[in-house]
Amino acid sequence: MILPLNIAALPLPKTLATTTIQHDFPNVLSDVYSGNVPAENIWLSFCKKGEHSVHSKLAASLHDTDRERVVLSGSSTVSLDRQNQYKYRARWGFTSSTVISPSLIVADPAHSNEQQPHQITAFAISSSPDLIATGLADGTLSLYRRPPVPQPRTPYPSLPVHSTTPLATGTAHKSTISALQFMRCSQGGMIVASAGADFAVHLTPVHEDVSTAPLAPTSSFTAHTRPVTALAPLAFHPSALLSGARDGALRLWDTYSGAQAGAWEAGADVGALIEDGRVTWAALADGHAEAFDIRARGAVARFRAGDAALSAIDVCVTGRNVVAGGEDGVVAVFDVRTMGQGSSEGGAPTLARWQRTGGVVEGVAFASGSKIVIGGADGLPYVIRFGEEFGVDADLVFGDVEAVRGMHVDGKDVWLAGDGGVLRKYEL
């Protein structure tokens, strides 16, 4: 039985400040430290909607006596202090934020040319074996060996770019790949499930010796009538795969038999899916989040989560909190375990609601340590500190005018990809 909708107005989102920094500043500091240049400037900016922005240049040079330290000098109200090889503390006035640069950048030269980059629209990470699957806007699916994070050899390492080529590649879809998932197949191997704007879901086997065969789908599901936007493997059965699309439908597929096992109508077009072992949450275009219990064959909860179409959703490991982001740039966290308590409308209590630049939210994910990672079309990914003390915990240094299109978070490890055709790994 679906709970009643909460029709009460959502609280106004809190506006948070944004810290931006020259995306290749680690290279500048590395050049200064190694003596390649005597000094160089980097820029640092702080802005908040409705308030005056702060833009500053910091001069990087070696310390006069301690030649193992790079000094950053500039405005008396703006500073940048090194915490470790990848973390810096940016301060302006009485406000501060941690700035984290990537600890690994995975770049395929064929896709990451700065003049003509290939947009990575979806990717997936496998830890056993260590593989990365990427999907491009032109429908290309590629598999790469996941490289280890290099150990920095200096206090000021340059951006750690790992140049690589695909183990295997192929044209999986006729147009944009919108979602990717690694799954185990019946023979004990692996498959890559892919969804696309061509209305299709494909299953592509990953061979033991990946490089011996080109990637080619062996099964396809084509019942959706609009672009497929999301995939969610289901914990209760290793062969169960749920898909959501802009036709407002959820479809359950048995990847072993290649048959459709069920179909449901969502309340609106589906923007994203996430499964927590109990229910599957769908982010919908009407601003609602809807929970489906596939074993019970239907929706079990629905609540208003935003004023605009939802484009991203995640649930914490306990299943208690859901975070959702929308096309208006607003992100909110809800306590779904107390839905309906103290509210005749049956809504989920809003624990926090905020926004920064207004760009479309492309991904949200809970991380360890009561943190939430957010990335979007503005290309300014960041981390929220959620709990007793709420606020921006860190800003992740991304590309140069490059949107975030995909996200994978595992504990303190964060992977992001986007319009520049590279993957970046961060350590929170």
Side-chain angles (χ1 to χ4, degrees):
M1 178 180 179
I2 300 178
L3 293 176
L5 302 183
N6 59 315
I7 57 176
L10 292 166
L12 291 175
K14 182 178 181 180
T15 301
L16 302 179
T18 301
T19 303
T20 57
I21 192 171
Q22 185 172 324
H23 77 283
D24 61 351
F25 83 93
N27 292 345
V28 174
L29 301 186
S30 179
D31 283 343
V32 171
Y33 174 78
S34 60
N36 292 334
V37 295
E40 186 63 82
N41 290 334
I42 62 172
W43 60 262
L44 182 65
S45 297
F46 309 93
C47 58
K48 187 174 181 181
K49 191 175 180 181
E51 298 183 9
H52 291 294
S53 300
V54 177
H55 306 285
S56 182
K57 283 187 177 180
L58 299 175
S61 60
L62 282 176
H63 190 273
D64 289 339
T65 57
D66 184 359
R67 309 305 280 180
E68 292 297 309
R69 183 156 64 96
V70 174
V71 177
L72 290 159
S73 57
S75 167
S76 60
T77 60
V78 176
S79 64
L80 185 67
D81 300 315
R82 177 182 175 277
Q83 295 182 320
N84 61 35
Q85 283 94 336
Y86 303 115
K87 290 186 180 181
Y88 288 77
R89 193 70 178 172
R91 293 182 174 85
W92 71 105
F94 297 102
T95 308
S96 64
S97 174
T98 298
V99 174
I100 304 177
S101 65
S103 58
L104 175 65
I105 298 175
V106 182
D108 181 346
H111 298 156
S112 58
N113 185 305
E114 292 186 0
Q115 301 303 316
Q116 293 181 315
H118 290 245
Q119 183 187 86
I120 296 178
T121 53
F123 72 96
I125 304 279
S126 167
S127 58
S128 180
D130 288 328
L131 293 175
I132 298 173
T134 64
L136 303 184
D138 63 2
T140 300
L141 173 66
S142 299
L143 286 178
Y144 301 88
R145 189 72 63 193
R146 185 172 69 165
V149 175
Q151 292 299 316
R153 298 181 178 180
T154 75
Y156 300 91
S158 58
L159 289 171
V161 179
H162 177 87
S163 183
T164 187
T165 55
L167 296 170
T169 189
T171 301
H173 290 265
K174 296 178 181 179
S175 59
T176 302
I177 295 177
S178 52
L180 290 173
Q181 293 283 350
F182 280 106
M183 297 180 66
R184 293 288 174 185
C185 63
S186 56
Q187 292 78 22
M190 295 189 72
I191 58 174
V192 178
S194 59
D198 55 0
F199 309 173
V201 176
H202 295 316
L203 304 180
T204 302
V206 178
H207 300 283
E208 274 190 40
D209 186 355
V210 179
S211 61
T212 61
L215 291 178
T218 55
S219 299
S220 299
F221 308 129
T222 57
H224 283 292
T225 59
R226 290 292 183 271
V228 185
T229 54
L231 297 173
L234 303 183
F236 70 85
H237 197 291
S239 68
L241 176 68
L242 192 67
S243 62
R246 298 205 179 279
D247 58 7
L250 292 174
R251 298 187 180 275
L252 179 64
W253 311 100
D254 185 337
T255 60
Y256 287 179
S257 67
Q260 180 174 295
W264 298 266
E265 288 296 323
D269 294 355
V270 178
L273 293 172
I274 186 68
E275 196 258 359
D276 71 351
R278 292 169 287 270
V279 297
T280 301
W281 286 95
L284 304 180
D286 62 0
H288 286 84
E290 194 164 14
F292 292 84
D293 187 336
I294 302 304
R295 284 168 293 187
R297 298 285 170 173
V300 295
R302 175 177 162 90
F303 70 93
R304 184 179 169 207
D307 296 321
L310 298 184
S311 48
I313 196 165
D314 194 28
V315 60
C316 70
V317 292
T318 64
R320 182 181 184 89
N321 297 329
V322 166
V323 57
E327 293 184 357
D328 57 356
V330 176
V331 184
V333 183
F334 304 90
D335 185 349
V336 296
R337 289 297 183 90
T338 59
M339 286 180 65
Q341 296 182 15
S343 170
S344 60
E345 293 86 5
T350 306
L351 302 179
R353 193 163 185 256
W354 69 91
Q355 68 177 159
R356 298 222 297 180
T357 66
V360 176
V361 177
E362 298 282 4
V364 293
F366 285 97
S368 62
S370 299
K371 296 177 181 179
I372 301 173
V373 184
I374 301 97
D378 59 9
L380 302 171
Y382 62 102
V383 182
I384 284 291
R385 182 176 57 256
F386 177 72
E388 295 182 2
E389 185 181 359
F390 172 83
V392 177
D393 184 78
D395 286 272
L396 306 180
V397 182
F398 201 58
D400 184 18
V401 194
E402 177 186 343
V404 175
R405 303 297 181 187
M407 175 185 297
H408 175 88
V409 177
D410 183 9
K412 293 185 177 182
D413 293 338
V414 177
W415 290 83
L416 301 175
D419 292 352
V422 303
L423 287 96
R424 296 175 175 89
K425 183 178 185 293
Y426 304 82
E427 299 174 8
L428 301 185

